[in-house]
Amino acid sequence: MKNKIYSMMMLALMLGFSSCSKDDEMEIDANTIEYDGTKSVLKKGALIDFDISPYYGTTDTHLNYDFYITDGAVITDNTGQIFDIQGKFGVWIWLESFGTTGGFKTGTYTFIDGVNDASLTDAQKKTKYENKLFMAGASVFLNTNVSTSFDSGNTQEIEIKSGSVTVSGSKPNYTITYDLVMENNKTVKGSYSAGFQAFVD
């Protein structure tokens, strides 16, 4: 009888440990980004509303939100405005949501390279951007110290080559899933759902 009770207790402990381990793994995976084979747990996010701007024509066409995620910290000044972002690893994305009413839209934002836009006619720009949710830029930031600013002269910044992100949820609790290829052909994959501190530029 004692052996039976002991066996049942051990089974319960093992099941409990297994359940906790799975929960911990799910929590980590939910805010983990993999870059070049290395996984980083992202702890903080910042969202900056840069308001609306025109991509063609003479009136505003898109609403710009920038998102930062980092394994370090989001630093604010004494007025509560964003001052700095620090970390060993972080990702920045520049998203443009079509339309000037109804707020920022969720969905999939695919990278569109605007480097040659100055050579396009207005009609060509309209074809390129009208009715589109798109990513205008993205970068990975790499530092040797978690307390180093992403603006530091020692920070390595790698810009985007192609890819997309999917945004779901609502401000400031968006979930963003990343699937990017950077200019060095290394990939950024994973998701972040730990919330964003929201700022207005």
Side-chain angles (χ1 to χ4, degrees):
M1 178 64 73
K2 286 183 179 179
N3 287 340
K4 185 176 181 180
I5 293 173
Y6 177 77
S7 297
M8 292 175 66
M9 289 174 62
M10 290 301 295
L11 178 60
L13 285 170
M14 290 173 67
L15 288 172
F17 177 77
S18 175
S19 175
C20 289
S21 297
K22 288 180 180 178
D23 289 344
D24 291 344
E25 287 174 5
M26 288 175 65
E27 183 177 347
I28 291 173
D29 287 343
N31 296 297
T32 299
I33 300 295
E34 183 172 353
Y35 170 74
D36 192 24
T38 299
K39 291 184 177 182
S40 299
V41 178
L42 285 299
K43 300 177 180 179
K44 297 291 183 180
L47 177 171
I48 307 174
D49 179 350
F50 282 99
D51 208 359
I52 51 179
S53 57
Y55 272 82
Y56 55 86
T58 57
T59 59
D60 293 323
T61 60
H62 286 75
L63 171 62
N64 168 211
Y65 274 16
D66 280 19
F67 293 88
Y68 289 85
I69 54 174
T70 178
D71 61 359
V74 175
I75 310 298
T76 57
D77 61 21
N78 57 10
T79 68
Q81 293 301 306
I82 190 166
F83 176 74
D84 194 15
I85 299 176
Q86 302 173 347
K88 289 181 68 175
F89 176 81
V91 183
W92 161 74
I93 53 174
W94 167 2
L95 303 186
E96 293 284 353
S97 173
F98 181 76
T100 58
T101 60
F104 184 82
K105 298 176 177 64
T106 56
T108 298
Y109 288 73
T110 301
F111 176 61
I112 297 180
D113 193 341
V115 67
N116 295 318
D117 279 7
S119 65
L120 300 180
T121 66
D122 196 60
Q124 288 172 322
K125 292 177 185 177
K126 184 175 182 180
T127 299
K128 185 175 181 178
Y129 294 114
E130 187 177 28
N131 294 319
K132 292 181 180 176
L133 308 178
F134 70 95
M135 179 167 35
S139 292
V140 165
F141 298 97
L142 302 174
N143 282 313
T144 57
N145 190 297
V146 74
S147 298
T148 302
S149 169
F150 287 168
D151 280 335
S152 165
N154 296 321
T155 300
Q156 182 182 5
E157 181 179 359
I158 303 100
E159 296 183 356
I160 188 173
K161 178 180 180 181
S162 62
S164 64
V165 298
T166 300
V167 182
S168 60
S170 58
K171 184 179 180 179
N173 298 311
Y174 291 112
T175 294
I176 301 182
T177 302
Y178 298 78
D179 187 5
L180 310 177
V181 179
M182 310 313 291
E183 60 185 358
N184 57 6
N185 292 318
K186 295 176 181 179
T187 59
V188 175
K189 293 181 181 291
S191 66
Y192 176 86
S193 57
F196 293 87
Q197 289 178 254
F199 304 94
V200 176
D201 181 70

